[in-house]
Amino acid sequence: MTLLGKPRGRLRPGLARLTGPQRFLLAGSFLIPLGSFAVLPFMSVLLHQRLGMGLGAVGVVLAVASLVQFSGGVVGGAIAGRIGLRRTMLLALVIRTAGFACFLPGLRSPAAAVLALFLVSVGAALYLPANKAYLIHEVDEGRRPLLLSASSSALNAGMALGPLAAAPFVLSASAGLFTAVTVLFAAITVGHALLPGESPDRRPEPSRGERAFSGLAVLPFATTVLSLYVFMFFQHYLALYAVPRTSATYYGLVLAVYALLLVVAQPLLADWIAALPYARALRCGFGAMAAGMATLAVGNHAAIMAGALLVCLGEIALFFKNDLEALARSTRAPAVVFGHQRLAAGIGAFASGMAGGEGYQLAEHMGGTGLFWVVVAAQGALLPLLLGRWSTVRGPGR
């Protein structure tokens, strides 16, 4: 017997009809990034300014930690298939809580701070595939868009509010901030221990030699790689471009409005995006991103705000639809599918990081960083043409 009860196989319409475990997981989808992003966006400041690490070393540490967090999703999905979704979430949260606790000695030791960062990244890699899979476990396919979009909105709300809440305390009261985040994660871990264990997945497992990537939904995987490739140019280089042309305050306003649109619009658009044919969703998503990147090239206040919001709409359409298509086209359990998608995101982000730095520097040398956004926009406009015919082929899960 558990305090939260057993999840039901079907959901009645609307968020008001969610089960206890689903409500708890959606609350966790807000609290976990709230705590994480109270700390993680300030890691470069902690490592460089407080602990004296060189910027080159800081860049390497952050890049490797990001790669672990994304690519480790494949391992997380495999572990979930072996020990179960709830147990995997618990393992991930124990590791992540230990990581935040290690930030306390990390205030004096670069080695402890790096260890803390990697523990947090490993925990995130293990948690997300199992979390998404548990949320939609034994739920009708027609109810999945509502749950996944609500989870994504909660996550983005936490990501947006975490840095704002923590900014006054990061340097002035670091120990208190890290202690509070550790306590928050310990409480969330206890809550997960009260969740009911899920019923076993009845899908046949592939042989050991094929296990990691058998049943891979190839098109959604490839499209996620390309989606993140285009999007991460915006994520990495908007601050560098926007702050000198506007101000740090205006850039903060752009991010706040972006987060608000993401939180509000995704659940409202979820059913519409889910019903779109994949090829049309790709045209809409990449088209919005391309239009947004091209608008950024104008470089004034209005263009930067409008371009960011267009990119936001593209993010909503592409990231959400890719996950739904991966679930529908793959023969594997959802936790494994979400692990594959996390790996695809990591590959795309890594490729964007490799290309973006040189590309932005080249645009600077040529005298106009607006050209950088024009080139990114051109890539975003061409990708749907390359993917369009392939996207009409339906996989085994369809």
Side-chain angles (χ1 to χ4, degrees):
M1 186 72 179
T2 64
L3 294 181
L4 294 177
K6 292 191 176 182
R8 299 170 193 167
R10 293 176 178 266
L11 288 176
R12 285 173 284 178
L15 290 175
R17 302 294 188 178
L18 293 175
T19 64
Q22 288 162 345
R23 290 177 186 275
F24 175 78
L25 288 179
L26 290 177
S29 293
F30 170 74
L31 292 173
I32 287 173
L34 178 72
S36 298
F37 278 77
V39 174
L40 297 180
F42 304 103
M43 282 307 301
S44 59
V45 177
L46 173 67
L47 294 174
H48 178 58
Q49 294 186 4
R50 183 156 188 160
L51 296 175
M53 289 181 63
L55 282 176
V58 170
V60 171
V61 168
L62 295 180
V64 174
S66 296
L67 188 61
V68 168
Q69 182 170 334
F70 280 112
S71 62
V74 173
V75 178
I79 291 174
R82 184 172 293 272
I83 69 173
L85 301 175
R86 185 178 69 94
R87 289 178 178 176
T88 302
M89 288 191 290
L90 275 173
L91 173 63
L93 287 168
V94 168
I95 293 172
R96 213 166 183 187
T97 303
F100 284 112
C102 284
F103 276 120
L104 288 168
L107 292 172
R108 299 178 300 276
S109 165
V114 171
L115 173 63
L117 178 61
F118 278 94
L119 286 173
V120 169
S121 298
V122 169
L126 295 178
Y127 181 81
L128 191 60
N131 169 264
K132 285 186 172 183
Y134 189 99
L135 185 65
I136 64 170
H137 185 66
E138 294 188 345
V139 171
D140 289 343
E141 187 172 340
R143 303 298 298 158
R144 288 176 171 180
L146 175 66
L147 287 168
L148 291 176
S149 63
S151 176
S152 180
S153 289
L155 184 145
N156 283 297
M159 289 172 61
L161 291 177
L164 293 176
F169 310 106
V170 168
L171 296 179
S172 62
S174 302
L177 175 64
F178 292 143
T179 299
V181 172
T182 302
V183 170
L184 173 65
F185 269 83
I188 292 171
T189 303
V190 172
H192 278 69
L194 302 176
L195 289 170
E198 74 282 358
S199 58
D201 194 292
R202 296 180 176 85
R203 303 169 198 240
E205 281 295 313
S207 64
R208 288 184 180 274
E210 303 175 319
R211 184 160 294 177
F213 291 102
S214 63
L216 176 71
V218 177
L219 177 59
F221 184 92
T223 306
T224 299
V225 171
L226 296 175
S227 300
L228 265 293
Y229 169 76
V230 174
F231 173 75
M232 292 305 288
F233 289 114
F234 170 84
Q235 186 86 349
H236 286 147
Y237 299 103
L238 181 63
L240 195 61
Y241 179 77
V243 172
R245 288 166 172 76
T246 58
S247 67
T249 301
Y250 186 78
Y251 174 65
L253 175 64
V254 170
L255 294 185
V257 176
Y258 186 103
L260 179 63
L261 178 62
L262 200 61
V263 169
V264 172
Q266 183 155 295
L268 295 177
L269 297 175
D271 288 339
W272 178 74
I273 293 171
L276 279 179
Y278 198 24
R280 188 178 302 170
L282 296 186
R283 289 194 296 270
C284 290
F286 279 115
M289 275 200 186
M293 302 294 184
T295 303
L296 290 175
V298 177
N300 59 33
H301 286 68
I304 289 171
M305 179 65 80
L309 297 185
L310 284 167
V311 171
C312 180
L313 293 174
E315 177 187 349
I316 291 170
L318 286 175
F319 296 1
F320 183 51
K321 188 66 172 181
N322 286 339
D323 277 356
L324 291 178
E325 284 292 315
L327 286 168
R329 291 172 181 248
S330 177
T331 58
R332 300 297 301 277
V336 177
V337 175
F338 289 129
H340 290 162
Q341 290 297 99
R342 289 285 289 175
L343 174 60
I347 294 171
F350 181 78
S352 182
M354 294 294 289
E358 293 296 328
Y360 198 89
Q361 184 174 329
L362 178 61
E364 280 186 327
H365 288 327
M366 295 177 66
T369 46
L371 178 62
F372 173 82
W373 300 109
V374 172
V375 173
V376 175
Q379 294 177 81
L382 289 173
L383 288 174
L385 301 178
L386 299 175
L387 294 167
R389 185 178 298 275
W390 193 12
S391 64
T392 62
V393 179
R394 304 173 85 81
R398 304 302 296 267

